[in-house]
Amino acid sequence: MEQIQHKYVDVNGLKLHVAEIGTGPTVVVFLHGFPEIWYSWRYQMIAAAKAGFRAIAPDFRGYGLSEHPAEPEKATFKDFVDDVGGIMDFLNIPKAFLVSKDFGVKPAYHYALLHPERVMGVITLGLPFVLPGPELFPRELFPKGFYMLRWQEPGRAEADFGRLDVKTVVRNIYILFSGSELPAAEEDQEIMDLVDPSTPLPSWFTEEDLANYATLYEKSGFRTALQVPYRTWLEGYGTTNLKVNLPALHVQGEQDYVYKFPRMAEYIEGQVKEYVPDLEITFIPGGSHFVQEQFPEQVNEMIISFMKKHI
């Protein structure tokens, strides 16, 4: 990882951390999810640079080494979208591919809808383009103790996480989200109670990886992370035109618990192309929610092949 360089950029009144590698003329911007950070793209960044691309991975505001907004509890997805544009402006990037994972998919597509002239293509992992509002994720179809519903309650996750050190919280979430079932607690449980302390880390995720994540989240905490995405999930895209007329690729792990959201499989296999007509969909057998860390070579090849096809 020593080839990856780190810098801070002044964007929208905050100092945001950006990891960067490669000097190619075509840029790819990697947008992380939760509990991830720039580091979750380490394998893809190095592979993209070796393939001749300039790879950039920011920490979203309030995550990792990036500054928190003054009032984290008021942060919105639109703030993250504006930061993507601000980072591109600061680094003099007129146009880029956007590669996104988990909730990072929302700001990627949001930016593509508002500024299609600055996007060469969108690549998503784990979560496809999703409609704003409750249509795709009706609360009544999910278990009452589903983690997203629990974490939407102000103070609930803070109290749950606060019982443990940051490293254990990140460890537990990685173990939970690596599974193929929806993480949901019983009435008398909290989400952190779902993981037995003796449960090993996934085979592809090392203690060193965990330490790197923990160090970054010890710096940032979870204030902004619980606001965006969990408490702003229903936020709209700021436009009535929800058709993305850009090349797109969606990579879906077949064992990703998100694929088991009610209606999600049917949506990915059908309706999503109404909104993203030029969309390729690829499934990875055995792939978990963290497919880019679990099967990096496979995912690297998919991303680089797609980008080379659409330069």
Side-chain angles (χ1 to χ4, degrees):
M1 302 301 145
E2 63 277 357
Q3 317 101 299
I4 296 175
Q5 315 244 313
H6 300 269
K7 64 178 68 171
Y8 288 87
V9 299
D10 293 308
V11 173
N12 299 321
L14 297 173
K15 286 195 179 302
L16 302 183
H17 168 253
V18 173
E20 181 173 359
I21 185 172
T23 57
T26 304
V27 180
V28 51
V29 178
F30 292 92
L31 303 175
H32 66 78
F34 178 81
E36 295 158 299
I37 219 75
W38 77 265
Y39 182 80
S40 64
W41 297 113
R42 58 200 179 280
Y43 301 120
Q44 287 69 45
M45 292 180 72
I46 291 170
K50 285 180 179 175
F53 294 89
R54 179 184 176 194
I56 291 166
D59 290 340
F60 281 121
R61 59 170 58 200
Y63 280 78
L65 299 175
S66 288
E67 279 188 336
H68 276 287
E71 298 180 278
E73 292 76 16
K74 293 183 179 178
T76 67
F77 270 108
K78 182 59 165 54
D79 293 332
F80 286 29
V81 174
D82 292 342
D83 290 345
V84 171
I87 290 166
M88 289 174 64
D89 289 343
F90 189 96
L91 298 176
N92 297 311
I93 299 166
K95 203 167 187 178
F97 286 101
L98 301 181
V99 180
S100 55
K101 157 88 194 322
D102 187 63
F103 85 79
V105 168
K106 282 197 75 170
Y109 269 122
H110 194 157
Y111 188 80
L113 283 166
L114 298 180
H115 306 285
E117 74 285 353
R118 300 194 66 182
V119 180
M120 300 178 73
V122 181
I123 300 171
T124 58
L125 281 69
L127 188 73
F129 174 85
V130 291
L131 298 171
E135 293 91 346
L136 186 58
F137 303 125
R139 295 174 69 98
E140 65 274 10
L141 296 184
F142 286 86
K144 283 190 178 176
F146 183 52
Y147 81 98
M148 286 182 69
L149 302 180
R150 287 284 183 90
W151 292 354
Q152 285 172 4
E153 300 175 31
R156 184 84 182 247
E158 288 85 344
D160 186 16
F161 293 3
R163 300 177 294 152
L164 306 167
D165 61 82
V166 169
K167 187 175 183 179
T168 302
V169 172
V170 175
R171 180 181 186 278
N172 286 356
I173 296 172
Y174 246 84
I175 289 170
L176 269 182
F177 287 9
S178 296
S180 61
E181 301 303 321
L182 299 184
E186 298 295 333
E187 191 68 37
D188 60 348
Q189 279 184 314
E190 295 300 327
I191 299 301
M192 288 295 104
D193 298 329
L194 294 174
V195 181
D196 187 300
S198 65
T199 305
L201 288 169
S203 60
W204 40 265
F205 192 72
T206 68
E207 288 290 343
E208 182 183 358
D209 293 331
L210 176 60
N212 282 322
Y213 277 97
T215 298
L216 293 167
Y217 274 98
E218 280 164 2
K219 194 268 180 191
S220 68
F222 300 102
R223 287 179 70 193
T224 305
L226 288 168
Q227 173 66 11
V228 183
Y230 297 103
R231 295 164 190 171
T232 52
W233 189 255
L234 300 184
E235 185 182 335
Y237 288 119
T239 176
T240 55
N241 177 15
L242 297 181
K243 185 162 283 193
V244 182
N245 291 308
L246 292 164
L249 170 68
H250 179 63
V251 179
Q252 182 66 56
E254 289 186 352
Q255 296 302 311
D256 186 339
Y257 73 91
V258 174
Y259 191 51
K260 295 190 177 179
F261 280 18
R263 301 181 183 170
M264 179 60 80
E266 295 85 353
Y267 176 78
I268 289 175
E269 292 159 22
Q271 189 184 2
V272 67
K273 289 195 177 183
E274 295 176 19
Y275 304 98
V276 191
D278 190 8
L279 175 65
E280 301 173 39
I281 301 174
T282 301
F283 292 89
I284 296 184
S288 72
H289 189 58
F290 302 104
V291 70
Q292 86 281 18
E293 295 181 276
Q294 181 185 10
F295 296 119
E297 291 182 7
Q298 204 170 337
V299 172
N300 294 349
E301 195 277 328
M302 291 174 180
I303 289 173
I304 290 164
S305 295
F306 174 85
M307 292 193 299
K308 285 185 173 179
K309 188 163 63 175
H310 294 288
I311 290 176

